[in-house]
Coordinates of all heavy atoms in Angstrom, one line a residue:
M1 N 5.7 74.8 54.9 CA 5.4 73.5 55.4 C 5.1 72.6 54.2 O 4.5 73.0 53.2 CB 4.0 73.6 56.3 CG 3.6 72.3 56.6 SD 2.0 72.4 57.7 CE 2.8 72.9 59.2
I2 N 5.5 71.3 54.3 CA 5.3 70.4 53.2 C 3.9 69.8 53.4 O 3.4 69.5 54.5 CB 6.4 69.2 53.3 CG1 7.8 69.8 53.2 CG2 6.0 68.1 52.2 CD1 8.7 68.8 53.4
N3 N 3.2 69.7 52.2 CA 1.8 69.3 52.3 C 1.6 68.4 51.1 O 2.1 68.6 50.0 CB 0.9 70.4 52.4 CG -0.4 70.0 53.1 OD1 -0.8 68.9 53.2 ND2 -1.3 71.0 53.5
L4 N 0.7 67.5 51.2 CA 0.2 66.7 50.1 C -0.7 67.6 49.1 O -1.4 68.5 49.6 CB -0.7 65.5 50.5 CG 0.2 64.5 51.4 CD1 -0.7 63.6 52.0 CD2 1.3 63.8 50.6
P5 N -0.7 67.3 47.8 CA -1.6 67.9 47.0 C -3.0 67.8 47.3 O -3.5 66.7 47.6 CB -1.3 67.5 45.5 CG -0.6 66.3 45.8 CD 0.1 66.3 47.1
P6 N -3.9 69.0 47.3 CA -5.2 68.8 47.8 C -6.2 68.5 46.6 O -7.3 69.0 46.6 CB -5.6 70.2 48.3 CG -4.7 71.0 47.5 CD -3.4 70.4 47.2
Y7 N -5.8 67.7 45.7 CA -6.6 67.5 44.7 C -6.4 66.0 44.1 O -5.3 65.5 44.3 CB -6.4 68.5 43.4 CG -4.9 68.6 43.1 CD1 -4.4 67.6 42.1 CD2 -4.3 69.6 43.6 CE1 -3.0 67.7 41.9 CE2 -2.9 69.7 43.2 CZ -2.3 68.9 42.4 OH -1.0 69.0 42.1
P8 N -7.4 65.3 43.6 CA -7.1 63.9 43.2 C -6.5 63.9 41.8 O -6.3 65.0 41.1 CB -8.6 63.4 42.9 CG -9.4 64.6 42.6 CD -8.8 65.7 43.3
K9 N -5.9 62.8 41.4 CA -5.1 62.6 40.2 C -6.0 62.8 39.1 O -5.6 63.2 37.8 CB -4.3 61.3 40.2 CG -3.2 61.2 41.3 CD -2.1 62.0 41.0 CE -1.1 61.7 42.0 NZ 0.0 62.7 42.1
T10 N -7.2 62.2 39.1 CA -8.1 62.3 37.9 C -8.7 63.7 37.8 O -8.9 64.3 38.8 CB -9.2 61.2 38.0 OG1 -9.8 61.5 39.3 CG2 -8.6 59.8 38.3
G11 N -9.0 63.9 36.6 CA -9.7 65.2 36.4 C -11.3 65.2 36.4 O -12.0 65.6 35.5
D12 N -11.8 64.7 37.6 CA -13.3 64.6 37.7 C -13.9 65.9 37.9 O -13.5 66.8 38.8 CB -13.5 63.6 39.0 CG -14.9 63.4 39.2 OD1 -15.7 63.5 38.2 OD2 -15.3 62.8 40.3
Q13 N -14.9 66.2 37.2 CA -15.6 67.4 37.2 C -16.5 67.7 38.5 O -16.8 68.7 38.8 CB -16.4 67.8 35.9 CG -15.6 67.7 34.6 CD -14.5 69.0 34.6 OE1 -14.8 70.0 35.2 NE2 -13.5 68.6 34.0
N14 N -16.9 66.6 39.0 CA -17.8 66.6 40.2 C -17.1 66.8 41.5 O -17.8 66.8 42.6 CB -18.7 65.3 40.2 CG -19.6 65.2 39.1 OD1 -20.0 66.3 38.4 ND2 -19.9 64.0 38.5
W15 N -15.8 66.6 41.6 CA -15.1 66.7 42.8 C -15.1 68.0 43.3 O -14.8 69.1 42.6 CB -13.6 66.3 42.5 CG -12.8 66.1 43.6 CD1 -13.0 65.1 44.6 CD2 -11.8 67.0 44.1 NE1 -12.0 65.5 45.6 CE2 -11.2 66.5 45.3 CE3 -11.1 68.1 43.6 CZ2 -10.3 67.1 46.1 CZ3 -10.1 68.8 44.3 CH2 -9.7 68.2 45.6
R16 N -15.5 68.3 44.5 CA -15.8 69.6 45.1 C -14.7 70.0 46.1 O -14.6 71.0 46.7 CB -17.0 69.6 45.9 CG -18.2 69.3 44.9 CD -19.5 69.4 45.7 NE -19.7 70.9 46.0 CZ -20.7 71.2 46.8 NH1 -21.6 70.2 47.3 NH2 -20.9 72.4 47.1
G17 N -13.5 69.2 46.1 CA -12.4 69.6 47.0 C -12.3 68.7 48.4 O -13.2 67.7 48.5
L18 N -11.5 68.9 49.2 CA -11.5 68.3 50.4 C -12.1 69.0 51.6 O -12.2 70.3 51.6 CB -9.9 68.2 50.8 CG -9.0 67.4 49.9 CD1 -7.6 67.5 50.4 CD2 -9.3 66.1 49.9
T19 N -12.6 68.4 52.5 CA -13.1 68.9 53.8 C -12.0 69.4 54.6 O -10.7 69.1 54.5 CB -14.0 68.0 54.5 OG1 -13.1 67.0 55.0 CG2 -15.1 67.5 53.6
I20 N -12.3 70.3 55.6 CA -11.3 70.8 56.6 C -10.7 69.6 57.3 O -9.4 69.6 57.5 CB -11.9 71.7 57.5 CG1 -12.5 73.1 56.8 CG2 -11.0 72.1 58.7 CD1 -11.3 73.9 56.3
R21 N -11.4 68.7 57.6 CA -10.9 67.5 58.4 C -9.9 66.7 57.5 O -8.9 66.3 58.1 CB -12.1 66.6 58.8 CG -11.7 65.4 59.7 CD -11.4 65.8 61.1 NE -11.0 64.6 61.8 CZ -10.1 64.7 62.7 NH1 -9.6 65.7 63.1 NH2 -9.9 63.5 63.4
E22 N -10.1 66.5 56.3 CA -9.2 65.8 55.4 C -8.0 66.6 55.3 O -7.0 66.0 55.2 CB -9.9 65.6 54.0 CG -11.1 64.7 54.0 CD -11.7 64.5 52.7 OE1 -11.8 65.5 51.9 OE2 -12.3 63.4 52.5
I23 N -8.1 67.9 55.1 CA -6.8 68.7 55.1 C -6.0 68.7 56.3 O -4.7 68.5 56.3 CB -7.1 70.1 54.9 CG1 -7.8 70.3 53.4 CG2 -5.9 71.0 54.9 CD1 -8.3 71.6 53.1
Q24 N -6.7 68.6 57.4 CA -6.0 68.5 58.7 C -5.4 67.1 58.9 O -4.2 67.0 59.4 CB -7.0 68.7 59.9 CG -7.4 70.1 60.0 CD -8.7 70.2 61.1 OE1 -9.2 69.1 61.6 NE2 -8.8 71.4 61.5
M25 N -6.0 66.1 58.4 CA -5.4 64.8 58.6 C -4.3 64.6 57.6 O -3.2 64.0 58.0 CB -6.4 63.7 58.2 CG -7.6 63.6 59.2 SD -7.0 63.3 60.9 CE -6.4 61.5 60.8
R26 N -4.3 65.2 56.5 CA -3.1 65.1 55.6 C -1.9 65.9 56.2 O -0.8 65.5 56.1 CB -3.4 65.8 54.3 CG -4.3 64.7 53.4 CD -4.6 65.5 52.1 NE -5.4 64.7 51.3 CZ -5.0 64.1 50.1 NH1 -4.1 64.5 49.5 NH2 -5.8 63.3 49.3
R27 N -2.1 67.0 56.8 CA -1.1 67.8 57.5 C -0.5 67.0 58.6 O 0.7 67.0 58.7 CB -1.6 69.1 58.0 CG -2.0 70.1 56.8 CD -2.5 71.4 57.4 NE -1.4 72.2 57.9 CZ -1.4 73.3 58.4 NH1 -2.7 73.8 58.7 NH2 -0.4 73.9 58.9
V28 N -1.3 66.4 59.4 CA -0.9 65.6 60.6 C 0.1 64.4 60.0 O 1.0 64.1 60.6 CB -2.1 65.1 61.4 CG1 -1.6 64.0 62.3 CG2 -2.7 66.2 62.1
L29 N -0.4 63.8 58.9 CA 0.3 62.7 58.4 C 1.8 63.1 58.0 O 2.7 62.6 58.3 CB -0.4 62.1 57.2 CG 0.2 61.0 56.4 CD1 0.4 59.7 57.3 CD2 -0.5 60.7 55.3
V30 N 1.8 64.3 57.1 CA 3.0 64.8 56.8 C 4.0 65.2 57.9 O 5.1 64.9 57.9 CB 2.8 66.0 55.8 CG1 4.2 66.7 55.5 CG2 2.3 65.4 54.5
Q31 N 3.4 65.9 58.9 CA 4.2 66.3 60.0 C 4.7 65.1 60.8 O 5.8 65.0 61.4 CB 3.4 67.2 61.0 CG 3.2 68.6 60.4 CD 2.2 69.4 61.2 OE1 1.5 68.9 62.1 NE2 2.1 70.6 60.9
T32 N 3.9 64.0 60.9 CA 4.3 62.8 61.7 C 5.5 62.2 60.9 O 6.5 61.8 61.5 CB 3.1 61.9 61.8 OG1 2.1 62.5 62.5 CG2 3.6 60.6 62.5
R33 N 5.4 62.1 59.6 CA 6.5 61.6 58.8 C 7.8 62.3 59.0 O 8.9 61.8 59.1 CB 6.2 61.6 57.3 CG 5.1 60.5 57.0 CD 4.7 60.4 55.6 NE 3.8 59.5 55.2 CZ 3.1 59.5 54.0 NH1 3.3 60.5 53.2 NH2 2.2 58.6 53.9
M34 N 7.7 63.7 58.9 CA 8.9 64.5 59.2 C 9.5 64.3 60.6 O 10.8 64.2 60.6 CB 8.5 65.9 59.1 CG 8.1 66.5 57.7 SD 7.4 68.0 57.4 CE 8.6 69.1 58.3
E35 N 8.7 64.2 61.7 CA 9.2 63.9 62.9 C 9.8 62.6 63.0 O 11.0 62.5 63.6 CB 8.1 63.9 64.0 CG 7.6 65.4 64.2 CD 8.7 66.3 64.7 OE1 9.5 65.9 65.6 OE2 8.7 67.4 64.3
I36 N 9.3 61.5 62.4 CA 10.0 60.1 62.4 C 11.4 60.3 61.7 O 12.4 59.7 62.1 CB 9.1 59.2 61.6 CG1 7.9 58.9 62.5 CG2 9.8 57.9 61.3 CD1 6.7 58.1 61.8
E37 N 11.5 61.0 60.5 CA 12.7 61.2 59.9 C 13.8 61.9 60.7 O 14.9 61.6 60.6 CB 12.5 61.9 58.5 CG 11.8 60.9 57.4 CD 12.6 59.6 57.2 OE1 13.8 59.7 57.1 OE2 11.9 58.6 57.2
K38 N 13.3 63.0 61.4 CA 14.2 63.7 62.2 C 14.8 62.8 63.3 O 15.9 62.7 63.6 CB 13.5 64.8 63.0 CG 13.2 66.0 62.1 CD 12.6 67.1 62.9 CE 11.9 68.2 62.1 NZ 11.3 69.1 63.0
Y39 N 13.8 61.9 63.9 CA 14.4 60.9 64.9 C 15.4 60.0 64.4 O 16.4 59.7 64.8 CB 13.1 60.2 65.5 CG 13.6 59.1 66.4 CD1 14.0 59.5 67.8 CD2 13.5 57.7 66.2 CE1 14.3 58.5 68.6 CE2 13.9 56.7 67.1 CZ 14.4 57.1 68.3 OH 14.7 56.2 69.1
R40 N 15.0 59.4 63.1 CA 16.0 58.5 62.5 C 17.3 59.2 62.1 O 18.4 58.5 62.4 CB 15.5 58.0 61.1 CG 14.2 57.1 61.3 CD 13.8 56.5 60.0 NE 12.6 55.6 60.2 CZ 12.0 55.2 59.1 NH1 12.2 55.6 58.0 NH2 10.9 54.4 59.5
M41 N 17.2 60.4 61.8 CA 18.6 61.2 61.5 C 19.4 61.4 62.8 O 20.6 61.2 62.9 CB 18.3 62.4 60.8 CG 17.9 62.2 59.3 SD 17.5 63.7 58.3 CE 17.9 65.1 59.4
S42 N 18.7 61.7 63.8 CA 19.4 62.0 65.1 C 20.0 60.6 65.6 O 21.2 60.6 66.3 CB 18.5 62.6 66.2 OG 17.5 61.7 66.6
T43 N 19.3 59.5 65.6 CA 19.8 58.3 66.0 C 21.0 57.9 65.3 O 22.0 57.1 65.7 CB 18.8 57.1 66.1 OG1 18.2 57.1 65.0 CG2 17.8 57.4 67.2
A44 N 21.0 58.1 63.9 CA 22.0 57.7 63.0 C 23.3 58.5 63.4 O 24.3 58.0 63.4 CB 21.6 57.9 61.6
M45 N 23.1 59.8 63.7 CA 24.2 60.6 64.0 C 24.8 60.1 65.4 O 26.0 60.2 65.6 CB 23.8 62.1 64.1 CG 23.6 62.8 62.8 SD 25.2 62.8 61.8 CE 26.3 63.6 62.9
D46 N 24.0 59.8 66.4 CA 24.5 59.3 67.5 C 25.3 58.1 67.4 O 26.4 58.0 68.1 CB 23.3 59.1 68.6 CG 22.6 60.3 69.0 OD1 23.2 61.4 68.8 OD2 21.4 60.2 69.5
R47 N 24.8 57.2 66.6 CA 25.6 55.9 66.2 C 26.9 56.3 65.5 O 28.1 55.7 65.9 CB 24.8 55.0 65.4 CG 23.9 54.1 66.2 CD 23.3 53.1 65.2 NE 21.9 53.4 65.1 CZ 21.3 53.6 63.8 NH1 22.0 53.4 62.7 NH2 20.1 54.0 63.8
V48 N 27.0 57.4 64.7 CA 28.2 57.7 64.2 C 29.2 58.3 65.1 O 30.4 58.0 65.2 CB 28.0 58.7 63.0 CG1 29.3 59.3 62.5 CG2 27.4 58.0 61.7
K49 N 28.7 59.1 66.1 CA 29.6 59.7 67.0 C 30.2 58.7 68.0 O 31.3 58.7 68.5 CB 28.7 60.8 67.8 CG 28.4 61.9 67.1 CD 27.7 63.0 67.9 CE 27.5 64.2 67.3 NZ 26.6 65.2 68.0
E50 N 29.3 57.6 68.4 CA 29.9 56.6 69.2 C 31.0 55.8 68.5 O 32.0 55.4 69.3 CB 28.7 55.7 69.6 CG 27.7 56.3 70.5 CD 26.5 55.4 70.8 OE1 26.5 54.3 70.2 OE2 25.6 55.8 71.5
R51 N 31.0 55.6 67.3 CA 32.0 54.9 66.7 C 33.1 55.6 66.4 O 34.3 55.1 66.2 CB 31.4 54.3 65.3 CG 30.4 53.3 65.4 CD 30.2 52.5 64.2 NE 28.7 52.1 64.1 CZ 27.9 52.3 63.1 NH1 28.3 52.9 62.0 NH2 26.6 51.9 63.2
T52 N 33.2 56.9 66.3 CA 34.3 57.8 65.9 C 35.2 58.0 67.1 O 34.7 58.4 68.2 CB 33.8 59.3 65.5 OG1 32.9 59.0 64.4 CG2 34.9 60.1 65.0
P53 N 36.4 57.5 67.0 CA 37.3 57.6 68.2 C 37.6 59.0 68.7 O 37.7 59.2 69.9 CB 38.6 56.9 67.5 CG 38.5 56.9 66.3 CD 37.2 57.1 65.9
L54 N 37.5 60.1 67.9 CA 37.8 61.4 68.3 C 36.6 62.0 69.0 O 36.8 63.0 69.8 CB 38.3 62.3 67.2 CG 39.7 61.9 66.6 CD1 40.0 62.8 65.5 CD2 40.7 61.9 67.8
L55 N 35.2 61.7 68.5 CA 34.1 62.4 69.0 C 33.3 61.7 69.9 O 32.4 62.2 70.5 CB 33.3 62.8 67.8 CG 33.9 63.6 66.7 CD1 32.9 63.8 65.5 CD2 34.3 65.0 67.3
G56 N 33.5 60.4 70.2 CA 32.9 59.6 71.0 C 32.9 60.0 72.5 O 33.7 60.8 72.8
G57 N 32.0 59.3 73.4 CA 32.0 59.8 74.8 C 33.4 59.5 75.4 O 33.8 60.3 76.4
S58 N 34.2 58.5 75.0 CA 35.5 58.2 75.6 C 36.5 58.5 74.6 O 37.7 58.2 74.7 CB 35.6 56.8 76.0 OG 35.4 56.0 74.7
G59 N 36.2 59.4 73.6 CA 37.2 59.8 72.6 C 38.3 60.8 73.0 O 38.2 61.4 74.1
L60 N 39.3 61.0 72.2 CA 40.3 61.9 72.6 C 39.9 63.2 72.9 O 40.3 63.9 73.8 CB 41.5 61.7 71.4 CG 42.7 62.5 71.6 CD1 43.5 62.1 72.8 CD2 43.6 62.5 70.4
L61 N 39.1 63.8 71.8 CA 38.7 65.2 72.0 C 37.9 65.4 73.3 O 38.0 66.5 73.9 CB 38.0 65.7 70.7 CG 38.8 65.8 69.5 CD1 38.0 66.3 68.3 CD2 39.8 66.9 69.7
S62 N 37.0 64.5 73.6 CA 36.2 64.8 74.8 C 36.9 64.6 76.1 O 36.7 65.5 77.0 CB 34.9 63.7 74.7 OG 35.5 62.4 74.9
R63 N 37.9 63.8 76.0 CA 38.8 63.7 77.1 C 39.6 65.0 77.3 O 39.9 65.6 78.4 CB 39.8 62.5 77.2 CG 39.1 61.2 77.3 CD 40.1 60.2 77.2 NE 39.5 58.8 77.3 CZ 40.2 57.7 77.1 NH1 41.4 57.7 76.9 NH2 39.5 56.5 77.2
F64 N 40.1 65.5 76.2 CA 40.9 66.7 76.3 C 39.9 68.0 76.7 O 40.4 68.7 77.6 CB 41.5 67.0 74.8 CG 42.2 68.3 74.8 CD1 43.5 68.6 75.5 CD2 41.6 69.4 74.2 CE1 44.2 69.7 75.3 CE2 42.3 70.6 74.1 CZ 43.5 70.8 74.7
A65 N 38.7 68.0 76.2 CA 37.8 69.1 76.6 C 37.5 69.0 78.0 O 37.4 69.9 78.8 CB 36.7 69.0 75.7
G66 N 37.5 67.8 78.6 CA 37.2 67.7 80.1 C 38.3 68.0 81.0 O 38.0 68.4 82.1
T67 N 39.5 68.1 80.5 CA 40.6 68.4 81.4 C 41.1 69.8 81.2 O 41.8 70.4 82.1 CB 41.8 67.5 81.0 OG1 42.2 67.6 79.7 CG2 41.4 66.1 81.2
V68 N 40.5 70.5 80.3 CA 41.2 71.9 79.9 C 40.0 72.9 80.6 O 38.9 72.7 80.4 CB 41.1 72.3 78.5 CG1 41.5 73.7 78.2 CG2 42.1 71.2 77.8
S69 N 40.6 74.0 81.3 CA 39.7 74.9 81.9 C 39.3 76.1 81.0 O 39.9 76.2 80.0 CB 40.4 75.6 83.2 OG 41.4 76.2 82.8
I70 N 38.4 76.9 81.4 CA 38.2 78.1 80.5 C 39.3 79.0 80.3 O 39.5 79.5 79.3 CB 36.9 78.8 81.1 CG1 35.7 77.9 81.1 CG2 36.6 80.1 80.4 CD1 34.4 78.5 81.8
A71 N 40.1 79.2 81.3 CA 41.2 80.1 81.3 C 42.3 79.5 80.2 O 42.8 80.3 79.6 CB 41.9 80.2 82.6
E72 N 42.3 78.2 80.2 CA 43.3 77.6 79.3 C 42.8 77.8 77.9 O 43.5 77.9 77.0 CB 43.5 76.2 79.6 CG 44.4 76.0 81.0 CD 44.3 74.6 81.4 OE1 43.3 73.9 81.4 OE2 45.4 74.2 82.0
Y73 N 41.5 77.6 77.7 CA 40.9 77.9 76.3 C 41.2 79.3 75.8 O 41.5 79.5 74.7 CB 39.4 77.7 76.3 CG 39.0 76.1 76.2 CD1 38.1 75.5 77.1 CD2 39.4 75.4 75.1 CE1 37.8 74.2 77.1 CE2 39.0 74.0 75.0 CZ 38.2 73.5 76.0 OH 37.9 72.1 75.8
A74 N 41.0 80.3 76.8 CA 41.2 81.7 76.5 C 42.6 81.8 76.1 O 43.0 82.5 75.1 CB 40.8 82.6 77.5
F75 N 43.6 81.3 76.8 CA 44.9 81.5 76.5 C 45.4 80.9 75.1 O 46.1 81.4 74.4 CB 45.8 80.8 77.6 CG 47.3 80.8 77.4 CD1 47.9 82.1 77.5 CD2 48.1 79.8 77.0 CE1 49.3 82.2 77.4 CE2 49.4 79.9 76.8 CZ 50.1 81.0 77.0
M76 N 44.8 79.7 74.8 CA 45.0 78.9 73.5 C 44.5 79.9 72.5 O 45.1 80.0 71.5 CB 44.4 77.6 73.5 CG 45.2 76.6 74.3 SD 44.7 74.8 74.0 CE 43.0 74.9 75.0
A77 N 43.2 80.4 72.6 CA 42.7 81.3 71.6 C 43.5 82.5 71.3 O 43.8 83.0 70.3 CB 41.3 81.7 72.0
F78 N 44.1 83.0 72.4 CA 45.0 84.2 72.3 C 46.1 83.9 71.5 O 46.7 84.6 70.6 CB 45.2 84.8 73.7 CG 46.3 85.9 73.6 CD1 45.8 87.2 73.3 CD2 47.6 85.6 74.0 CE1 46.7 88.2 73.3 CE2 48.5 86.8 74.0 CZ 48.1 87.9 73.7
K79 N 46.8 82.8 71.8 CA 48.0 82.3 71.1 C 47.7 82.0 69.6 O 48.6 82.4 68.7 CB 48.5 81.0 71.8 CG 49.1 81.3 73.1 CD 50.3 81.9 73.1 CE 51.4 81.0 73.6 NZ 52.8 81.8 73.5
I80 N 46.6 81.4 69.3 CA 46.2 81.2 67.9 C 46.0 82.4 67.1 O 46.4 82.6 66.0 CB 44.9 80.3 67.8 CG1 45.3 78.9 68.4 CG2 44.4 80.1 66.5 CD1 44.3 78.0 68.5
V81 N 45.3 83.4 67.7 CA 45.0 84.7 67.0 C 46.3 85.5 66.9 O 46.6 85.9 65.7 CB 44.0 85.5 67.9 CG1 44.0 86.9 67.4 CG2 42.7 84.9 67.8
R82 N 47.2 85.4 67.9 CA 48.5 86.1 67.6 C 49.4 85.5 66.5 O 50.1 86.1 65.8 CB 49.3 86.0 68.9 CG 49.1 87.2 69.8 CD 50.0 87.3 71.0 NE 51.4 87.1 70.7 CZ 52.3 86.8 71.5 NH1 52.0 86.7 72.8 NH2 53.6 86.7 71.3
W83 N 49.2 84.2 66.4 CA 50.0 83.4 65.4 C 49.4 83.8 64.0 O 50.1 83.9 63.0 CB 49.9 81.9 65.6 CG 50.7 81.1 64.8 CD1 52.1 81.0 64.8 CD2 50.3 80.4 63.6 NE1 52.6 80.2 63.9 CE2 51.6 79.8 62.9 CE3 49.2 80.1 63.0 CZ2 51.6 79.0 61.9 CZ3 49.1 79.3 61.8 CH2 50.3 78.8 61.2
F84 N 48.1 84.0 63.9 CA 47.4 84.3 62.5 C 47.5 85.6 62.2 O 47.3 86.0 61.0 CB 46.0 83.8 62.5 CG 45.9 82.3 62.2 CD1 45.5 81.4 63.2 CD2 46.1 81.8 60.9 CE1 45.3 80.0 62.8 CE2 46.0 80.5 60.5 CZ 45.7 79.6 61.6
V85 N 47.6 86.5 63.0 CA 47.5 88.1 62.7 C 48.6 88.5 61.6 O 48.2 89.2 60.7 CB 47.7 88.9 63.9 CG1 47.9 90.2 63.7 CG2 46.4 88.8 64.7
P86 N 49.8 88.0 61.7 CA 50.8 88.4 60.6 C 50.4 88.0 59.3 O 50.7 88.6 58.2 CB 52.1 87.8 61.0 CG 52.0 87.5 62.5 CD 50.6 87.3 62.8
F87 N 49.7 86.9 59.1 CA 49.2 86.5 57.8 C 48.2 87.4 57.2 O 48.1 87.5 56.0 CB 48.6 85.2 57.9 CG 49.7 84.1 58.2 CD1 49.6 83.4 59.3 CD2 50.7 83.8 57.4 CE1 50.5 82.4 59.7 CE2 51.6 82.8 57.6 CZ 51.5 82.1 58.8
F88 N 47.4 88.2 57.9 CA 46.3 89.1 57.5 C 46.7 90.5 57.4 O 46.0 91.3 56.8 CB 45.1 88.9 58.3 CG 44.6 87.5 58.3 CD1 44.5 86.7 59.4 CD2 43.9 87.0 57.1 CE1 44.1 85.4 59.4 CE2 43.4 85.7 57.0 CZ 43.5 84.8 58.2
K89 N 47.9 90.8 57.8 CA 48.3 92.3 57.8 C 48.6 92.5 56.3 O 49.3 91.8 55.7 CB 49.4 92.5 58.8 CG 48.9 92.6 60.2 CD 50.2 93.1 61.1 CE 49.7 93.3 62.5 NZ 50.7 93.7 63.3
K90 N 48.4 93.8 55.9 CA 48.8 94.2 54.6 C 50.4 94.5 54.6 O 50.8 95.2 55.5 CB 48.0 95.4 54.0 CG 46.6 95.2 53.9 CD 45.9 96.5 53.5 CE 44.3 96.2 53.2 NZ 43.7 97.3 52.8
K91 N 51.0 94.1 53.5 CA 52.4 94.4 53.4 C 52.6 95.9 52.8 O 51.8 96.1 51.8 CB 53.1 93.4 52.5 CG 53.2 92.0 53.2 CD 53.8 91.0 52.3 CE 53.9 89.7 53.1 NZ 54.5 88.7 52.3
R92 N 53.5 96.7 53.3 CA 53.7 98.0 52.7 C 54.9 98.1 51.9 O 55.8 97.4 51.9 CB 53.6 99.0 53.7 CG 52.4 99.0 54.7 CD 52.5 100.1 55.8 NE 51.2 100.1 56.4 CZ 51.0 100.9 57.4 NH1 51.9 101.7 57.7 NH2 49.8 100.8 58.1

């Protein structure tokens, strides 16, 4: 967990440390900042996905994925694996 340093910048000899309440408040502050940044990143990714023609809700890949059944996916995977197998076999 990310946390703020529990000591002041000055080297005061009379400083006795932080109270439990102060430590809790610092942790809450850091966790709140982290959640805000997560939200900002997710909204930025959503905006990028909406603008991308292949990945958007009306994009080419999403339309293709909606029209293909599970059996067709399995068949395509089988064909792709059969095509790649000769490349990985050892030559004798």
Side-chain angles (χ1 to χ4, degrees):
M1 173 178 289
I2 300 171
N3 207 345
L4 298 172
Y7 50 82
K9 299 282 186 201
T10 62
D12 186 14
Q13 299 296 330
N14 295 329
W15 188 70
R16 299 183 68 186
L18 298 175
T19 64
I20 295 293
R21 182 73 179 151
E22 290 171 333
I23 293 171
Q24 289 172 342
M25 292 304 292
R26 284 177 180 240
R27 290 181 74 187
V28 167
L29 177 66
V30 170
Q31 290 172 346
T32 304
R33 287 180 182 162
M34 288 171 52
E35 289 299 320
I36 289 170
E37 287 304 316
K38 284 182 192 176
Y39 175 74
R40 285 183 184 166
M41 287 182 1
S42 70
T43 55
M45 283 302 299
D46 289 342
R47 277 189 254 128
V48 167
K49 285 181 182 178
E50 287 173 1
R51 287 189 214 135
T52 306
L54 293 177
L55 300 175
S58 62
L60 183 64
L61 289 179
S62 62
R63 287 182 185 175
F64 178 74
T67 60
V68 177
S69 70
I70 294 174
E72 290 169 326
Y73 278 124
F75 180 71
M76 284 188 287
F78 176 74
K79 293 288 247 179
I80 290 171
V81 168
R82 268 187 48 198
W83 188 77
F84 275 111
V85 166
F87 292 113
F88 296 112
K89 285 188 176 181
K90 293 181 180 179
K91 293 182 181 180
R92 295 182 183 182

